[in-house]
């Protein structure tokens, strides 16, 4: 699962970084030469009146902005909930110039890598992903990093960018706060990059959650699994379509999506997809759990200790024992909505695969997800309640204890805790917002 989504992310990030059209052509040298063969001259410091014209580009979630060259085309792309990416393209005025900026929570780095534990790790990982999808290679060197208000650390890289027999420049700027990573990567011809570096600035913004809408709410419902998988299939596939991905690129993802639906869900067509979504909202594993508890005559007068004693008398295997205790805890907390959040969160997942598979349109998928979001608000009073129900559901399904830090359930519980703590994370969105169709 993880490998597929890393490849998917590489494709979409690469679509945003397409700077290979106007590099200067390399003469008398092989394309594999390193950065030291084409030294990068340090730009001189210009007076404000002599600086290139600049413009502010604000991320779609309002958490940061980039000050860069004027009149770039901005393309917003959503990755896992709690993160935002912008593609910035020079178009015909600056052919071959483009950039990618990104913010992600530390617990939800796109692609869900296992080995990102520092800003350096993040920089290496995200530039590798970015360049792998663009056809550009860069030999990076450290350079002085401007400070950033609100950041704990910053670093910067520069290098010679190569695409085939052409070469240009590349610049990367990376920063971290207590809970997030940021990056800006630029590639283009020498003159454009040198002008861009004169004015480039990254600014962290506050108050993004207040501007969040229904799509953000829906994205937050699927945030945990999207983070585990490394991306929202729904939004990533949509971004690929909007960014001009080729039919072959789209079909590669569609084929994988159809395989996942068939193998894991028994969904083979549009009717199956909507029937499965309706089942998750009406019954799902939540009804299975309630039926299981009914077999043990669970009622309001049965305390947890008494139920635990009943289970131990049955000589159950450990997995079933853990599963039933999770069902009881969920029922005690949320009644008939016991583990319904587990089901409702996965409505978005299967519809994302369904949209990529061609079984439904983006609008049809989002309409159904709006139904799931509305039901979630009816059943729970906060993101905390929704997430607890979700985790009880995961424990029930996986037959693993949430208290076991080494289990996938324990890892899932830790991920939820980390995401809840993010200042601009998915659960900073107002739970009680009015949900409306905005697509």
């Amino acid at each position: 699962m993880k490998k597929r989504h890393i490849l998917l992310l590489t494709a979409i990030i690469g679509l945003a970084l397409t700077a290979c059209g106007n590099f200067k052509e390399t003469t008398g040298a092989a394309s594999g030469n390193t950065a030291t063969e084409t030294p990068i001259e340090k730009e001189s410091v210009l007076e404000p009146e002599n600086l290139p014209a600049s413009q502010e580009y604000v991320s779609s979630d309002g958490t940061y902005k980039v000050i860069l060259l004027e009149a770039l085309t901005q393309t917003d792309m959503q990755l896992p909930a709690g993160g935002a990416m912008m593609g910035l393209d020079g178009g015909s005025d600056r052919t071959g110039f483009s950039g990618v900026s990104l913010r992600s929570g530390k617990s939800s780095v796109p692609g869900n890598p296992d080995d990102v534990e520092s800003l350096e790790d993040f920089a290496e990982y995200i530039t590798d992903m970015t360049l792998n999808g663009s056809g550009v290679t860069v030999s990076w060197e450290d350079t002085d990093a401007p400070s950033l208000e609100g950041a704990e650390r910053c670093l910067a890289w520069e290098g010679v960018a190569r695409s085939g027999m052409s070469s240009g420049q590349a610049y990367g700027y990376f920063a971290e706060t207590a809970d997030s990573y940021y990056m800006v990567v630029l590639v283009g011809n020498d003159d454009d990059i040198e002008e861009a570096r004169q004015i480039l600035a990254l600014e962290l913004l506050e108050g993004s959650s207040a501007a969040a809408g229904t799509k953000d709410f829906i994205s937050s419902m699927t945030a945990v699994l999207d983070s585990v998988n490394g991306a929202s299939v729904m939004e990533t596939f949509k971004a690929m379509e909007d960014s001009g991905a080729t039919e072959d690129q789209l079909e590669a993802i569609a084929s994988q999506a159809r395989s996942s639906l068939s193998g894991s869900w028994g969904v083979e067509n549009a009717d199956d997809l909507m029937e499965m979504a309706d089942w998750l909202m009406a019954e799902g594993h939540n009804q299975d759990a309630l039926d299981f508890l009914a077999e043990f005559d669970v009622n309001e007068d049965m305390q947890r200790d008494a139920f635990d004693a009943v289970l131990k008398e049955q000589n159950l295997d450990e997995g079933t024992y853990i599963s039933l205790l999770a069902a009881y805890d969920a029922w005690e907390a949320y009644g008939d909505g016991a583990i319904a959040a587990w089901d409702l969160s996965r409505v978005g997942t299967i519809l994302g695969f369904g949209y990529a598979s061609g079984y439904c349109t983006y609008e049809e998928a989002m309409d159904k997800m709006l139904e799931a979001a509305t039901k979630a608000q009816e059943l729970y009073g906060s993101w905390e309640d929704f997430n607890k129900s979700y985790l009880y559901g995961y424990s029930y399904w996986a037959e693993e204890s949430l208290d076991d830090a080494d289990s996938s359930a324990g890892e899932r519980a830790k991920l939820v805790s980390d995401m809840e703590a993010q200042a601009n994370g998915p659960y900073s969105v107002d739970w009680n917002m009015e949900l409306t169709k905005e697509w």
Side-chain angles (χ1 to χ4, degrees), residues 67-317:
I67 300 173
L68 203 54
L69 299 168
E70 188 177 50
L72 302 178
T73 299
Q74 176 178 340
T75 303
D76 294 304
M77 306 171 195
Q78 183 172 342
L79 298 177
M85 184 174 75
M86 287 189 285
L88 298 167
D89 185 76
S92 58
D93 292 336
R94 295 182 183 272
T95 304
F97 177 89
S98 60
V100 178
S101 67
L102 169 71
R103 180 191 74 85
S104 78
K106 289 184 175 179
S107 60
S108 53
V109 174
N112 191 25
D114 295 323
D115 53 356
V116 172
E117 299 179 355
S118 67
L119 183 59
E120 287 81 2
D121 290 342
F122 171 75
E124 291 178 4
Y125 167 78
I126 204 69
T127 52
D128 181 62
M129 178 185 288
T130 302
L131 297 172
N132 277 344
S134 70
V136 177
T137 60
V138 179
S139 298
W140 293 108
E141 295 181 349
D142 292 330
T143 189
D144 293 337
S147 61
L148 174 63
E149 183 177 357
E152 296 181 348
R153 290 192 62 221
C154 304
L155 63 89
W157 293 347
E158 62 184 6
V160 171
R162 297 187 183 279
S163 177
M165 294 299 293
S166 299
S167 68
Q169 284 193 33
Y171 178 75
Y173 181 75
F174 313 90
E176 69 173 313
T177 61
D179 59 16
S180 297
Y181 289 121
Y182 297 80
M183 75 90 161
V184 180
V185 172
L186 309 175
V187 294
N189 65 47
D190 294 353
D191 291 341
D192 286 342
I193 294 298
E194 288 170 4
E195 286 192 5
R197 289 180 62 174
Q198 292 286 347
I199 57 174
L200 174 64
L202 177 66
E203 184 176 337
L204 310 186
L205 305 175
E206 297 181 356
S208 63
S209 61
T214 300
K215 287 184 66 175
D216 300 289
F217 187 99
I218 290 171
S219 180
S220 295
M221 287 179 61
T222 63
V224 177
L225 188 55
D226 288 345
S227 180
V228 171
N229 286 341
S232 163
V233 174
M234 171 79 76
E235 296 302 332
T236 306
F237 193 81
K238 180 70 161 59
M240 290 180 69
E241 284 190 320
D242 293 344
S243 299
T246 67
E247 288 298 323
D248 287 345
Q249 288 173 319
L250 294 173
E251 178 53 33
I253 304 304
S255 177
Q256 294 168 348
R258 288 191 290 268
S259 177
S260 294
L261 285 176
S262 177
S264 299
W265 294 90
V267 170
E268 304 288 350
N269 52 50
D271 290 340
D272 289 348
L273 177 69
M274 291 305 173
E275 287 177 7
M276 181 60 69
D278 288 337
W279 177 78
L280 286 170
M281 288 192 289
E283 299 180 31
H285 286 97
N286 184 59
Q287 190 60 53
D288 291 341
L290 295 176
D291 290 344
F292 233 149
L293 294 177
E295 292 180 12
F296 290 87
D297 296 323
V298 171
N299 57 64
E300 294 179 356
D301 296 326
M302 181 180 286
Q303 301 299 310
R304 190 179 193 275
D305 289 345
F307 181 65
D308 186 30
V310 170
L311 293 182
K312 289 177 178 176
E313 292 175 355
Q314 306 300 312
N315 295 317
L316 302 170
D317 63 85

Side-chain angles (χ1 to χ4, degrees), residues 55-76:
Q55 182 175 330
E56 295 182 353
Y57 301 91
V58 180
S59 65
S60 60
D61 67 351
T63 57
Y64 72 95
K65 68 180 178 182
V66 177
I67 300 173
L68 203 54
L69 299 168
E70 188 177 50
L72 302 178
T73 299
Q74 176 178 340
T75 303
D76 294 304

Side-chain angles (χ1 to χ4, degrees), residues 4-27:
R4 180 177 66 244
H5 288 290
I6 289 178
L7 293 174
L8 185 151
L9 278 166
T10 299
I12 183 58
I13 293 177
L15 285 172
L17 192 70
T18 55
C20 12
N22 196 32
F23 286 172
K24 66 182 180 182
E25 188 167 348
T26 304
T27 58

Side-chain angles (χ1 to χ4, degrees), residues 19 22 44 54 96 253 287-288 323 356-357 377 427 439:
N22 196 32
S44 59
S54 64
I253 304 304
Q287 190 60 53
D288 291 341
S323 181
S357 299
Q377 281 188 331
Y427 305 121
W439 44 87

Side-chain angles (χ1 to χ4, degrees), residues 220-228 326 330 334 337-346 349 380 383-397 402 408-409 412-413 415-416 427:
S220 295
M221 287 179 61
T222 63
V224 177
L225 188 55
D226 288 345
S227 180
V228 171
Y334 304 114
I339 62 169
W342 165 245
D343 296 317
L344 294 174
S345 70
R346 292 180 300 153
T349 298
Y380 309 103
W383 284 115
E384 181 181 7
D385 290 336
F386 180 85
N387 288 336
K388 284 183 178 178
S389 172
Y390 171 90
L391 289 173
Y392 283 137
Y394 186 87
S395 178
Y396 172 81
W397 175 80
L402 297 170
S408 64
R412 195 66 61 102
L415 175 59
V416 169
Y427 305 121

